Amino acid sequence: MKQTIPRRAIVMGATSGIGLEVVKVLASKGWQLGVAGRRDDVLQQLKDEVPQVMAVRAIDITRDDAPQRLNGLINELGGIDLYFHSSGIGYQNPDLDADKELRTVETNAVGFTRMVDAMFNYFAQRPDHQGHIAVISSIARTKGLGAAPAYSATKRYVSHYLECLSQLCTIRRLHHIHLHDIRPGFVRTPLIADGNRYPMQLDPERVAQSIVRGIERDRSVITVDWRYRLLVAGWRLLPRWLWVRLPIATK
Ligand SMILES: NC(=O)c1ccc[n+]([C@@H]2O[C@H](COP(=O)([O-])OP(=O)(O)OC[C@H]3O[C@@H](n4cnc5c(N)ncnc54)[C@H](OP(=O)(O)O)[C@@H]3O)[C@@H](O)[C@H]2O)c1
């Protein structure tokens, strides 16, 4: 990544889990930060604890006013070089509770599109067209997971959308906008603290370090960690007729 000092970033979904750890890693590297999420009290606490956090904004990405609020945060920081999108929800939902499925789509697909489009336009309109957009999808994007249909499908959507935007950069000659699709395996965060059993759990702090390293090296796809890289390579080899017959669940 081009070193502009001070480097400035916004982390959306900074109140918990991977986003919170990415805030800490970026702060340790001297980045100036704006942080967002829905929980204002947690954001204020983060600002008190991390000196590099210069600005906070309560933002709900499922709301229409979210891009406007994000813009206010960017202005308060005086511009940004990196938008990091960690906001997401997910459930195992084999009973297809409609509320869970639709809230997942609203957050992980609609909210993601709302925010990432706003950021793409922001970087495209900058005179130098320079910027990084990093979004956490998941290894759940690799194949359709029957235990979590909306989660798996929205993560596929995120990955696919980022690929579209990468090609759009070519079409519009926006060669200095960099898109990063981040695909972790299971990470020990509140998202998977639902009483189910998740194997091969990764430490969120180490995941955040790998993610930031991948962005600095300008990797367009960052799968964390190597064991999950092997796992998804194996999954991809399975034909659809075989995949749908596998009872993959983590209960
Ligand atoms: N943990 C895993 O095993 C795993 C694996 C692969 C991918 N991921 C992905 O990594 C991302 C982060 O997950 P995590 O594990 O760190 O979970 P987490 O600890 O539950 O954090 C989720 C974050 O998303 C924010 N968020 C949720 N809904 C939002 C909304 N409507 N508007 C704004 N922010 C919202 C939350 O903030 P507020 O509650 O303050 O709004 C929180 O900061 C998610 O996209 C998840 O799908 C996680």
Side-chain angles (χ1 to χ4, degrees):
M1 178 184 289
K2 190 181 163 194
Q3 304 282 309
T4 48
I5 295 179
R7 293 171 297 172
R8 288 168 293 194
I10 282 176
V11 178
M12 182 66 62
T15 52
S16 171
I18 303 171
L20 177 59
E21 295 303 326
V22 166
V23 165
K24 293 179 191 166
V25 174
L26 291 174
S28 73
K29 289 171 174 274
W31 285 67
Q32 294 185 348
L33 299 166
V35 295
R38 289 167 303 180
R39 286 169 287 168
D40 198 32
D41 53 333
V42 183
L43 295 169
Q44 293 298 342
Q45 194 184 335
L46 197 51
K47 187 164 187 269
D48 293 342
E49 288 172 2
V50 182
Q52 287 79 9
V53 173
M54 320 298 285
V56 306
R57 200 63 105 255
I59 298 177
D60 182 341
I61 62 168
T62 65
R63 291 175 51 116
D64 289 341
D65 68 353
Q68 197 186 337
R69 296 184 67 76
L70 176 61
N71 214 27
L73 186 56
I74 294 172
N75 289 339
E76 204 174 322
L77 270 181
I80 59 167
D81 309 292
L82 165 67
Y83 173 73
F84 188 90
H85 189 97
S86 191
S87 293
I89 60 173
Y91 310 93
Q92 289 205 37
N93 193 13
D95 298 330
L96 295 184
D97 173 333
D99 181 53
K100 285 181 178 168
E101 291 299 90
L102 295 177
R103 271 194 290 131
T104 303
V105 173
E106 270 300 321
T107 306
N108 296 4
V110 180
F112 150 82
T113 308
R114 180 180 283 119
M115 306 316 283
V116 163
D117 282 5
M119 287 317 307
F120 190 92
N121 289 331
Y122 164 79
F123 287 126
Q125 282 159 20
R126 260 167 59 148
D128 61 358
H129 309 312
Q130 176 93 34
H132 292 252
I133 298 173
V135 185
I136 307 185
S137 63
S138 169
I139 58 143
R141 59 154 314 272
T142 314
K143 291 275 194 185
L145 294 172
Y151 186 73
S152 180
T154 55
K155 292 304 180 179
R156 185 71 172 200
Y157 174 92
V158 166
S159 265
H160 204 80
Y161 203 91
L162 293 173
E163 190 175 299
C164 297
L165 293 187
S166 296
Q167 193 180 62
L168 185 60
C169 288
T170 305
I171 294 166
R172 291 179 55 185
R173 298 176 199 274
L174 296 168
H175 301 299
H176 300 300
I177 298 181
H178 305 258
L179 285 308
H180 306 276
D181 178 356
I182 298 157
R183 305 172 182 174
F186 293 131
V187 187
R188 206 174 305 107
T189 71
L191 188 105
I192 60 167
D194 60 2
N196 292 309
R197 194 184 57 83
Y198 294 93
M200 291 193 340
Q201 288 190 25
L202 303 168
D203 169 44
E205 200 178 319
R206 295 185 68 171
V207 169
Q209 283 162 355
S210 299
I211 289 171
V212 172
R213 204 178 313 121
I215 295 171
E216 285 175 338
R217 291 178 184 166
D218 204 16
R219 301 264 193 272
S220 53
V221 173
I222 303 165
T223 303
V224 189
D225 61 1
W226 65 270
R227 294 170 301 168
Y228 283 100
R229 280 198 288 277
L230 286 178
L231 183 73
V232 298
W235 281 3
R236 282 202 195 95
L237 294 176
L238 299 177
R240 184 189 176 103
W241 66 264
L242 177 57
W243 176 260
V244 297
R245 282 168 176 76
L246 297 177
I248 293 184
T250 56
K251 273 197 197 297

